[in-house]
Amino acid sequence: MTDRVLELLRSRPDLAELAAFPFNFDVSRAYHVEDVHLASGAPLEPIAGDDTGGTYFLCADQAVLHASSEGDAVLIADSVGEALEMLVRLPEWCEGLTAELDEEGLRAQVRAGDDEAREEFAPELDAQRAALVSGLGLPDRPLVELFALTDSAAGRTEPDHVLLNSRDLCAYRLHDSYRQCLRDVVLGPGRETLERMRSGDLGAREEAAADPVLRAGVLRAAQFDRRDGDLPLLRFLLEREDAERSEWFEERRLAAVLVASYGQDQDVPLLRSATSGQVTDGAGAVEWARAEEAKRHGRDADAEAESEFTWIELAHRQGRTEHARAALIRLLDDTGPHADRLRELSRALERIGDHAQAARAQFNLLSLQDTARDRASEAYILARLERGKGDLVAAGRALERARSAVGVGGAALDSTVAEWHRRGLGRLITEQHLELTLAAVEAGDADLARATMAHGKLLLNTVGKQSAKALSGLSTRAKWAVAGLGRPGA
């Protein structure tokens, strides 16, 4: 639905002129200096510009995002009407506006700014403001309330309104004061449930017992807020973790550490089971717990010392995909030539389904590899990610790099890929060729399909003849491609 105030500005040239000058909201400049989109994929419409090259965007939820030409972007209001209120009544030429000011303090700052504006460029400012406020039907709310509204909007920029440069996928900057603390977001449910459990709330115990994701949050909350009386509830949580034996072994290990730190002999049987026999007595339990914590960051470290990936993974498990995506993109933007960090980012972004950002991390990771084997390994993963984001040509280029590294059609780059066709690497590279062949056929790209199919046949002949397990290990889709290509040697 079109915003009422925006419709007025588009249909009333007199009001549009006032909004453009002196209040710097020009609906005739509804374009940005570069292609951009929201990380969430939600719709975004440029609706006005300012005289510095910045742009105002209308989001699907009717909120207004401002992006500067210098790479900053922040949510400024929940509607175009609120955005115009802010620009007209708290204009950009008024400096020193802060949340610490009361109503009179804000009015004094606005008066001082207006006085300078009248002298320098807007002698008719009062009449222009009155005409625009009246024409748009803007409310006369207290400045303190208006400032709080725009400040609140800025704090909600993340995670749903993160703006990306469409070419390189880097995020526009957001001032640290408006960034969300992901740790506090994901620990919120766990902290609340932990307090209820401490108060003896049986319902909270049942909720934690039934929900492994909530239980993970409770354990993390207890890890960084330890109380002497927590042992019974920690024992309960460990019993649940040990009984379920889920894939999230990290929570079972954490629960064991927290229980073991008390050094109670009665907990030894449970700890022996949860630690696969590493804990055998009470004294040893304490030593084991200290050693486990020392591996990470030490017992006295607070939650700020925990890896950001801990909170990102928990956000993903909680269904907070946009929170996880925003945090990962910010981390990727700040990551230099650090192979381990890029690998972790690539894998985490792929897990949340953002193949484009994962491919960005993977491309940078590939450029850092020193050996042919490592280049081949990271190249076939890049091909998978490029295919996942829909760029089949880029996937083909990545597979070409993988073939070159192992020496298909020529000499291998170095000895690290000797006998590559006898190992899992050969099967994985082959599989990606077959997957890309199918994707190209489905996309109607006959040339790419034929070229990739030719390489796939060569790989099948090479790998299939050398390894009896090569074909059995292929994915179902890849086996479909094999059926179309013919068996090795055909």
Side-chain angles (χ1 to χ4, degrees):
M1 183 174 62
T2 303
D3 187 283
R4 178 190 67 83
V5 170
L6 180 58
E7 191 63 32
L8 277 172
L9 290 172
R10 287 172 170 171
S11 61
R12 291 275 302 274
D14 57 325
L15 296 178
E17 184 177 353
L18 287 171
F21 182 83
F23 301 107
N24 212 8
F25 187 91
D26 188 352
V27 293
S28 71
R29 293 191 64 261
Y31 52 86
H32 196 48
V33 295
E34 61 185 1
D35 290 337
V36 294
H37 66 276
L38 291 178
S40 67
L44 191 68
E45 177 190 1
I47 57 173
D50 61 32
D51 59 12
T52 65
T55 307
Y56 296 94
F57 293 92
L58 184 64
C59 304
D61 57 2
Q62 301 298 296
V64 177
L65 182 76
H66 179 261
S68 76
S69 60
E70 302 300 317
D72 299 282
V74 62
L75 205 66
I76 64 169
D78 288 330
S79 68
V80 178
E82 284 186 12
L84 265 295
E85 281 186 73
M86 180 195 70
L87 294 171
V88 171
R89 301 191 60 225
L90 296 171
E92 59 184 12
W93 55 77
C94 296
E95 300 179 351
L97 302 181
T98 69
E100 284 71 38
L101 293 173
D102 58 13
E103 182 71 16
E104 185 51 43
L106 286 173
R107 290 187 180 278
Q109 291 295 102
V110 171
R111 284 195 298 269
D114 284 353
D115 288 343
E116 291 187 14
R118 292 188 196 95
E119 292 179 5
E120 295 180 6
F121 59 88
E124 303 299 323
L125 175 60
D126 294 332
Q128 291 168 319
R129 177 180 280 137
L132 189 57
V133 167
S134 174
L136 296 178
L138 301 180
D140 183 23
R141 72 178 90 216
L143 294 184
V144 168
E145 180 183 342
L146 181 56
F147 190 92
L149 285 175
T150 189
D151 203 47
S152 173
R156 285 180 277 110
T157 303
E158 292 183 346
D160 296 321
H161 303 92
V162 176
L163 190 67
L164 304 182
N165 175 300
S166 296
R167 185 187 65 181
D168 60 24
L169 299 182
C170 292
Y172 274 55
R173 294 180 298 270
L174 178 67
H175 193 276
D176 286 347
S177 61
Y178 297 130
R179 297 272 299 274
Q180 289 197 0
C181 178
L182 182 60
R183 177 187 68 248
D184 290 342
V185 171
V186 299
L187 281 182
R191 285 169 171 165
E192 189 271 338
T193 302
L194 176 61
E195 289 306 315
R196 289 169 56 204
M197 291 177 70
R198 283 168 170 165
S199 69
D201 187 334
L202 295 180
R205 288 172 65 94
E206 292 173 358
E207 291 170 16
D211 186 344
V213 178
L214 176 60
R215 199 160 62 241
V218 173
L219 284 166
R220 291 293 177 185
Q223 178 185 11
F224 299 110
D225 178 21
R226 304 191 185 192
R227 308 281 179 86
D228 289 340
D230 280 350
L231 180 56
L233 66 89
L234 294 173
R235 186 182 292 135
F236 165 75
L237 294 172
L238 177 56
E239 289 171 348
R240 293 302 305 170
E241 291 294 331
D242 191 49
E244 291 188 10
R245 291 276 170 167
S246 72
E247 61 180 304
W248 302 100
F249 64 88
E250 180 67 17
E251 269 86 56
R252 185 168 70 253
R253 179 57 59 99
L254 173 58
V257 166
L258 294 175
V259 171
S261 66
Y262 287 84
Q264 298 295 307
D265 289 335
Q266 70 183 89
D267 293 319
V268 170
L270 176 60
L271 290 169
R272 182 184 294 113
S273 172
T275 64
S276 301
Q278 294 183 59
V279 173
T280 57
D281 57 65
V286 175
E287 293 180 5
W288 176 84
R290 289 173 179 169
E292 285 295 310
E293 293 196 294
K295 291 178 184 177
R296 301 184 65 86
H297 43 57
R299 189 195 192 313
D300 297 326
D302 59 24
E304 294 181 3
E306 187 71 29
S307 168
E308 187 73 6
F309 288 97
T310 297
W311 315 126
I312 289 168
E313 189 61 50
L314 186 53
H316 184 209
R317 293 173 64 191
Q318 290 175 346
R320 303 178 194 269
T321 302
E322 294 311 316
H323 285 87
R325 188 197 315 276
L328 286 166
I329 291 173
R330 299 288 186 194
L331 281 177
L332 179 53
D333 287 349
D334 292 339
T335 297
H338 190 301
D340 290 342
R341 174 56 62 89
L342 287 169
R343 184 175 294 104
E344 196 167 9
L345 285 165
S346 173
R347 307 306 184 260
L349 284 159
E350 185 178 17
R351 281 196 297 276
I352 69 168
D354 196 329
H355 293 95
Q357 292 287 352
R360 175 161 77 102
Q362 188 68 21
F363 184 87
N364 293 335
L365 173 61
L366 176 54
S367 69
L368 299 177
Q369 302 311 304
D370 295 325
T371 70
R373 180 175 181 80
D374 288 341
R375 280 191 288 272
S377 296
E378 303 302 349
Y380 86 75
I381 293 174
L382 176 60
R384 181 181 72 213
L385 296 173
E386 295 286 11
R387 179 167 50 81
K389 80 175 188 182
D391 193 339
L392 303 186
V393 173
R397 289 196 298 267
L399 289 179
E400 183 179 2
R401 296 178 71 173
R403 292 194 304 272
S404 174
V406 298
V408 175
L413 295 184
D414 63 43
S415 61
T416 63
V417 289
E419 300 295 311
W420 63 272
H421 48 281
R422 296 181 182 275
R423 301 170 183 172
L425 180 60
R427 177 181 62 79
L428 292 168
I429 294 174
T430 302
E431 180 175 87
Q432 287 308 311
H433 279 77
L434 302 178
E435 293 276 7
L436 181 56
T437 298
L438 285 175
V441 170
E442 291 167 356
D445 191 335
D447 291 340
L448 178 61
R450 279 192 293 268
T452 309
M453 182 167 60
H455 292 301
K457 281 187 174 181
L458 178 60
L459 286 162
L460 279 169
N461 279 309
T462 304
V463 175
K465 288 178 178 178
Q466 299 295 334
S467 174
K469 297 181 179 179
L471 294 178
S472 64
L474 294 177
S475 70
T476 301
R477 275 179 52 88
K479 288 178 182 177
W480 294 345
V482 170
L485 294 173
R487 302 289 291 183

